[in-house]
């Protein structure tokens, strides 16, 4: 990950995941709020289960791609952890990033482990910054704040299942992590080739302010997508005449009942 592309890759994964979560949670919340308009036709329990399986598969795919990129991209360790001839560890930074992707892959297969897997980057980054320059440490500390915030939200979701505020906040913090990974790449490995002064305090002040802009942009993006999805669902339901419950098959009634308990 010691390059611009190495930071852009996980950043892109986080952005895609955040937008997916925002759309999914907004859609589910909009259908639950519009039960009287027959929203069960748009989001049955079986359809939601299929979406969960698809989400887990995509998350696992992203994690595997990330691990392979860290190990086999240019100058990667290629699964060699220890260099015996030189008696030293080999590319531990890449191995730390591989470990981070490994925990993301575990989260894709076990939703109950999401809290632990979300907190893993915090633990890794605490020992990731030794001997770095001042600005390098600072931009990674900003990332830690976003990771810790998302971990706390995931923990609260264990006790408040289906709370749309927590779900959208998790999406916003995930989007913040994605955009901030891109920002770290621009600061430490600028594509233009113009290097930042990593010891200038003014640059630290600007980066801190920039983090606030990223946070505001993430919250506004999630809020806009939520409003757009809610309006789209309600508009679609109003254009479609509701089905009479008496005309539904017994299986359809059961699905409607299951949806109401969510």
């Amino acid at each position: 990950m010691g390059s611009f592309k190495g930071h852009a890759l996980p950043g892109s994964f986080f952005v895609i995941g955040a937008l997916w979560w925002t759309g999914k949670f907004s859609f589910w919340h909009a259908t639950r709020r519009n039960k009287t308009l027959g929203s069960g036709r748009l989001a049955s329990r079986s359809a939601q289960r299929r979406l969960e399986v698809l989400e887990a598969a995509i998350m696992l795919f992203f994690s595997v791609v990330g691990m392979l990129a860290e190990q086999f991209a240019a100058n990667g360790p290629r699964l060699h952890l220890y260099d015996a001839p030189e008696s030293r560890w080999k590319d531990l930074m890449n191995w730390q990033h591989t470990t981070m992707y490994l925990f993301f892959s575990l989260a894709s297969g076990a939703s109950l482990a999401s809290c632990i897997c979300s907190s893993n980057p915090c633990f890794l980054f605490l020992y990731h910054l030794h001997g770095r320059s001042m600005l390098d440490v600072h931009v990674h500390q900003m990332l830690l704040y976003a990771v810790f915030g998302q971990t706390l939200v995931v923990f609260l979701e264990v006790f408040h299942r289906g709370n749309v505020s927590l779900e959208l906040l998790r999406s916003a913090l995930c989007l913040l992590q994605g955009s901030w990974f891109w920002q770290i790449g621009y600061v430490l490995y600028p594509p233009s080739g113009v290097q930042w002064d990593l010891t200038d305090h003014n640059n630290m002040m600007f980066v801190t302010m920039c983090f606030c802009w990223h946070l505001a942009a993430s919250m506004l993006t999630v809020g806009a997508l939520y409003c757009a999805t809610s309006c789209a669902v309600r508009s679609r339901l109003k254009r479609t005449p509701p089905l009479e419950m008496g005309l539904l098959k017994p299986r359809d009634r059961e699905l409607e009942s299951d949806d109401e308990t969510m």
Side-chain angles (χ1 to χ4, degrees):
M1 196 182 286
S3 65
F4 176 78
K5 292 181 180 179
H7 286 82
L9 180 64
S12 300
F13 290 164
F14 276 108
V15 169
I16 294 172
L19 296 177
W20 168 273
W21 277 346
T22 302
K24 183 184 73 172
F25 295 141
S26 299
F27 180 73
W28 287 0
H29 181 65
T31 55
R32 288 197 297 265
R33 288 183 58 188
N34 294 281
K35 284 294 181 183
T36 57
L37 298 178
S39 60
R41 292 166 292 158
L42 297 180
S44 65
R45 194 66 175 272
S46 60
Q48 293 179 6
R49 291 191 182 117
R50 287 195 293 270
L51 275 180
E52 293 289 353
V53 173
L54 177 61
E55 177 182 318
I58 294 174
M59 188 173 180
L60 180 60
F61 172 75
F62 284 170
S63 301
V64 172
V65 170
M67 287 189 285
L68 292 176
E70 289 293 340
Q71 290 293 320
F72 297 101
N75 301 321
R78 300 181 183 276
L79 302 180
H80 294 295
L81 180 58
Y82 189 75
D83 191 343
E86 298 187 12
S87 301
R88 64 181 181 85
W89 301 107
K90 185 175 178 63
D91 297 320
L92 286 182
M93 188 177 298
N94 292 73
W95 278 100
Q96 278 202 332
H97 299 153
T98 302
T99 304
M100 179 184 71
Y101 283 118
L102 172 64
F103 273 81
F104 290 148
S105 67
L106 294 177
S108 69
S111 58
L112 293 178
S114 296
C115 185
I116 297 175
C117 296
S118 297
S119 63
N120 177 257
C122 281
F123 179 74
L124 290 174
F125 283 138
L126 282 176
Y127 302 96
H128 187 72
L129 305 175
H130 181 70
R132 301 286 193 92
S133 61
M134 180 176 63
L135 188 59
D136 193 345
V137 172
H138 188 62
V139 293
H140 282 89
Q141 284 179 337
M142 297 292 102
L143 180 63
L144 276 177
Y145 297 150
V147 175
F148 178 77
Q150 182 178 349
T151 302
L152 179 60
V153 171
V154 171
F155 177 74
L156 292 175
E157 284 188 77
V158 174
F159 305 99
H160 302 279
R161 303 290 292 180
N163 187 307
V164 69
S165 297
L166 291 176
E167 291 170 342
L168 294 180
L169 180 57
R170 167 156 58 107
S171 302
L173 291 173
C174 182
L175 184 59
L176 173 62
Q177 290 180 60
S179 65
W180 195 247
F181 263 115
W182 276 85
Q183 185 67 53
I184 292 175
Y186 274 108
V187 171
L188 301 182
Y189 311 98
S192 63
V194 180
Q195 299 296 320
W196 290 54
D197 185 351
L198 301 182
T199 60
D200 187 355
H201 181 70
N202 287 329
N203 284 338
M204 288 187 63
M205 293 177 62
F206 172 78
V207 165
T208 304
M209 182 172 59
C210 193
F211 182 80
C212 296
W213 294 344
H214 278 257
L215 175 59
S218 298
M219 296 178 68
L220 289 173
T221 300
V222 169
L225 286 175
Y226 171 76
C227 292
T229 303
S230 299
C231 292
V233 169
R234 192 166 184 84
S235 176
R236 171 68 182 276
L237 291 173
K238 284 183 176 180
R239 291 198 306 266
T240 306
L243 293 175
E244 296 293 337
M245 288 299 295
L247 298 179
L248 294 177
K249 298 178 181 179
R251 176 60 179 166
D252 295 329
R253 291 197 192 99
E254 180 182 344
L255 290 176
E256 290 282 348
S257 178
D258 287 342
D259 291 337
E260 290 177 0
T261 60
M262 292 183 59

